[in-house]
Amino acid sequence: MKKNSLEYAVTILSALKVLSLLVVGAAYASAAVEKPNILIIFPDDLGYEAIGAYGGLDYSTPEIDAMAEQGILFTRAYTNPVCTPSRVSLHTGTYTLDHGHTEVLSVHVGTTDKVDFVKWPTFAQLLQADGYATSVTGKWQLATLFHYPDHPLVAGFDSWCVWNIWDGINEVKTSRYYNPAINRDGYIMDGSTLAVETTLPGGTVFPAGSVLPDVTDDFGPDVLHAYVKERMAAAVVADEPFFIMHNMLLPHSPIVAPPSSGGASLGNMIEYMDFLVGELLDEIEALGIRENTYVFFIGDNGTDVGADRMTVDGLVSGGKRDLNDGGMHIPFIVWGPSGITAGTTDDGLVDITDVFPTICGLTNVEIPSSIECRGNSIVPQIHGRPGIQRSWVFGGIDNSQALFDGEWLYVKLGSSTETLFDCRNLPSEVEVTLPGASAENAANARLQSILDFIPSSGDTFEIVLDNDDSEGVAIVGDWKVSSATAGYIGSNYMHDQNTGKGSKSVSYTFSVPAVGNYDVSIQYASGSNRASNVPVTIASSGSSTTVSLNQTVNGGVWFSLGEFGFDAANPVVVTIETTDTDGYVMVDAVKLTYLEDAGYLNWKALNFGLSSIIDSAQEATWGNLADPDGDSIVNLFEYALGLSPLMSTDPCVTPKINVDENGRFVCRAVVRKGDAQTTIAAQVSETLELDSWGALDARFDLVSEPLSAEVDELTFRIKPEEAVPESLFFRVRVE
């Protein structure tokens, strides 16, 4: 059942306004090229505050500052606070809660562990399959190449020039800077002579007696720098698009004196890194490919330095490995074609997982539905258009996670320690004593609930109640708590001790957030002495169904009791009883799974928290017509238009209507695809009469660009052969 039909319209009143809108139309002209080149420059251990363009005062970065002046700077980009988790999230578009790499992979001691890029596909693999020449440089702390020599190839790179971190022959960690150990496509660039014919992972054959190139007298970052230039030039000659992932090595410890500096210091290393960035941008200009090349400058995690750093806004504390602003807040600058308005900034939240869909969006490479990607494309923002706005960003390290919503930082250390920080005046972060003021308590509860929900969010929507939950579970009679048999949810389960039959029961009461069909499942620890005839009653809206459950089998998994239709206006009560049972009755957890497209429900849970949206008393916050951020756009529209329901300053409201350089109307909207709860449709009218609205017809060309798995950017442009109407009105209808 769909309710609350609404429209949100932006209009142009007549053709007389066309001339006054030509400048706006030029700003909206697409900068996309069919197969643009991509270069990601990824410095090692460099937080945002180290860059002058971000207000940093401690280090000199004139080339990167100039890059920002000629491109777009994202002021609030965040990642995991250490290298392996950050890099895996970048390559795969997933959180640490998904891919499980929460700590530095110990390649430096020769680990046989690796990142499984078959299980967790990369955007490099997609670009490679689409005809891109793909290359990677620098630190490859994702597998020990001594054990897995083809690992970069598996990850989607045709060629590589990386630091060979572990010398498996001598069993020592190697150097990255002076006397560097560099692995080029499977061989070590040490000047040695091959005793036998050698086939590299990519298939290249070196005859016996071949003398390998020798870079042991060079500075490691310079070797990588030359390789990037070589690969760009080769792609230009071959007339093929390239993607280069340039892991710079700099300015990671150890602190050394770079070739052009006066001594060993972090400042000199950052200055040399900056110089190399400038040289690469100059090389792109010299090759004549700037209009077809996007260059990203992105930090991998916070700066690794023991002292506070000064910015124009104050001192930045913390750094690498810290779940705070100093550890997770990174530079994120995009430079390239003229379609990027020079000197612009974007204050929206950006997560490292957003890189995956952004690169695919720029290159027009489709992300298969089989790939789980948590990120949102920021292609529209790069080109000066409205896009999806994040409500929060994620960070993870060890067994800890953090959520930052732009004002509040919620940190969960391990399984129990939880801390909230007031970040409304960054770089100042003030730990909050809880319980505190209402705003603090609300932020803590919301972010806690969102973090708890993230692992289960996806194509389905689930609500789980466990026997030891403080709310929603009613226990009648004397039940024994136990954890003796494996296969239970949470910390324990209960059983009736096989006594007092008929006098004991446990009821689970659910509030369901949407009308529809749900699967009701139960989990318990089975065994031969369990009851084979446990009555389980599912009741809602005045009707009930009782299922007889055999608990001697099917334990330790979610066992379905059936599918049921529920009304959101009435609670669902699942009751386990002991009447006339023939053995021990086990009680653990019950789960409701929504069986229809759960996009809107997941969106609500990821913005307001699962505990809120199943609480009818909080409907004034999460309801369809609620407006919690006070921006006059209700939640249903915030969802439909890819907005955040918690950001009143959200700059990305669509739909918009514009005029292109040829004086023709262009309609744009960021919209979701719709689901079981919503129907979303773009419509036009020339008169504003109620019966004149209709779908965009054959007069319009449509370009649909995916920004995430659920959201598209739609562009409707009147075809050149069609007459331009005197007036045109454009709206998105949601019901």
Side-chain angles (χ1 to χ4, degrees), residues 38 89 277 307 310 350 424 440 494 511 598 626 670:
I38 304 292
S89 289
V277 170
M310 180 60 74
V350 177
R424 290 176 290 184
E440 297 166 344
M494 301 188 304
S511 295
V670 173

Side-chain angles (χ1 to χ4, degrees), residues 57 123 172 217 496 616-617 630:
L57 299 175
F123 62 87
V172 295
D217 290 333
D496 71 343
S616 58

Side-chain angles (χ1 to χ4, degrees), residues 23-79:
V23 175
V24 180
Y28 269 57
S30 174
V33 180
E34 185 177 354
K35 284 186 180 294
N37 305 308
I38 304 292
L39 170 61
I40 298 178
I41 302 174
F42 208 52
D44 200 344
D45 292 356
L46 189 80
Y48 78 102
E49 82 290 341
I51 305 300
Y54 281 85
L57 299 175
D58 291 338
Y59 310 110
S60 176
T61 56
E63 299 294 341
I64 298 170
D65 298 345
M67 179 185 183
E69 291 174 0
Q70 298 172 27
I72 180 169
L73 181 150
F74 291 87
T75 64
R76 301 198 298 172
Y78 289 81
T79 187

Side-chain angles (χ1 to χ4, degrees), residues 188 202 206 220 222 312 413 416 425 454 530:
I188 307 301
F206 282 1
D222 287 347
V312 294
L413 301 176
S416 58
N425 294 296
I454 287 174
R530 307 324 194 219

Side-chain angles (χ1 to χ4, degrees), residues 78-82 85-86 89 94-97 99 101-102 322-324 327-329 350-353 390 392-404 409-413 451 454:
Y78 289 81
T79 187
N80 305 308
V82 75
S86 176
S89 289
T94 57
Y95 300 140
T96 58
L97 289 170
H99 57 67
H101 290 278
T102 62
D322 295 327
L323 284 171
N324 61 13
M328 299 189 299
H329 193 171
V350 177
D351 191 279
I352 195 67
T353 60
R390 278 186 166 270
W392 46 264
V393 290
F394 175 89
I397 182 173
D398 296 330
N399 189 33
S400 303
Q401 301 88 35
L403 284 184
F404 175 56
L409 173 66
Y410 174 81
V411 180
K412 186 174 184 180
L413 301 176
L451 184 59
I454 287 174

Side-chain angles (χ1 to χ4, degrees), residues 26-328:
Y28 269 57
S30 174
V33 180
E34 185 177 354
K35 284 186 180 294
N37 305 308
I38 304 292
L39 170 61
I40 298 178
I41 302 174
F42 208 52
D44 200 344
D45 292 356
L46 189 80
Y48 78 102
E49 82 290 341
I51 305 300
Y54 281 85
L57 299 175
D58 291 338
Y59 310 110
S60 176
T61 56
E63 299 294 341
I64 298 170
D65 298 345
M67 179 185 183
E69 291 174 0
Q70 298 172 27
I72 180 169
L73 181 150
F74 291 87
T75 64
R76 301 198 298 172
Y78 289 81
T79 187
N80 305 308
V82 75
C83 62
T84 301
S86 176
R87 293 160 195 266
V88 179
S89 289
L90 177 144
H91 285 293
T92 67
T94 57
Y95 300 140
T96 58
L97 289 170
D98 302 315
H99 57 67
H101 290 278
T102 62
E103 189 41 276
V104 176
L105 197 64
S106 54
V107 174
H108 55 287
V109 293
T111 180
T112 56
D113 293 336
K114 64 176 179 177
V115 180
D116 186 349
F117 287 128
V118 175
K119 180 179 180 180
W120 299 103
T122 70
F123 62 87
Q125 293 166 343
L126 300 182
L127 268 62
Q128 183 185 57
D130 199 56
Y132 272 77
T134 57
S135 309
V136 64
T137 75
K139 184 164 72 176
W140 190 257
Q141 198 137 8
L142 306 171
T144 303
L145 296 182
F146 179 76
H147 300 304
Y148 307 104
D150 64 343
H151 196 251
L153 189 66
V154 173
F157 295 101
D158 306 320
S159 176
W160 56 93
C161 185
V162 300
W163 173 30
N164 200 76
I165 301 172
W166 178 250
D167 179 348
I169 302 298
N170 298 302
E171 297 188 334
V172 295
K173 181 182 176 182
T174 65
S175 171
R176 76 180 75 198
Y177 290 134
Y178 291 104
N179 189 29
I182 303 298
N183 182 315
R184 172 75 184 257
D185 296 336
Y187 66 87
I188 307 301
M189 303 177 74
D190 59 3
S192 59
T193 301
L194 296 178
V196 297
E197 181 179 277
T198 302
T199 301
L200 300 182
T204 301
V205 178
F206 282 1
S210 297
V211 179
L212 300 177
D214 188 359
V215 298
T216 54
D217 290 333
D218 297 329
F219 188 55
D222 287 347
V223 178
L224 311 183
H225 185 70
Y227 171 84
V228 172
K229 288 184 175 182
E230 173 194 325
R231 293 293 292 174
M232 290 195 299
V236 171
V237 171
D239 193 25
E240 60 183 358
F242 64 76
F243 163 52
I244 301 174
M245 182 71 206
H246 181 29
N247 302 292
M248 291 194 76
L249 297 181
L250 288 163
H252 193 289
S253 63
I255 301 299
V256 300
S260 64
S261 77
S265 72
L266 179 61
N268 286 337
M269 293 174 74
I270 289 175
E271 287 187 23
Y272 193 67
M273 173 204 70
D274 179 75
F275 164 74
L276 295 178
V277 170
E279 278 212 339
L280 289 179
L281 301 186
D282 290 343
E283 182 72 8
I284 288 170
E285 296 271 21
L287 290 170
I289 57 174
R290 176 172 177 175
E291 280 300 315
N292 195 30
T293 303
Y294 290 88
V295 181
F296 290 73
F297 182 85
I298 308 171
D300 73 330
N301 49 246
T303 309
D304 187 14
V305 59
D308 293 342
R309 284 84 68 205
M310 180 60 74
T311 72
V312 294
D313 294 318
L315 287 174
V316 173
S317 300
K320 179 179 180 179
R321 302 194 66 86
D322 295 327
L323 284 171
N324 61 13
D325 196 64
M328 299 189 299

Side-chain angles (χ1 to χ4, degrees), residues 351-374:
D351 191 279
I352 195 67
T353 60
D354 296 338
V355 174
F356 189 126
T358 298
I359 300 304
C360 290
L362 288 172
T363 56
N364 295 310
V365 171
E366 182 179 356
I367 302 175
S369 59
S370 59
I371 293 180
E372 177 185 9
C373 181
R374 297 283 196 173

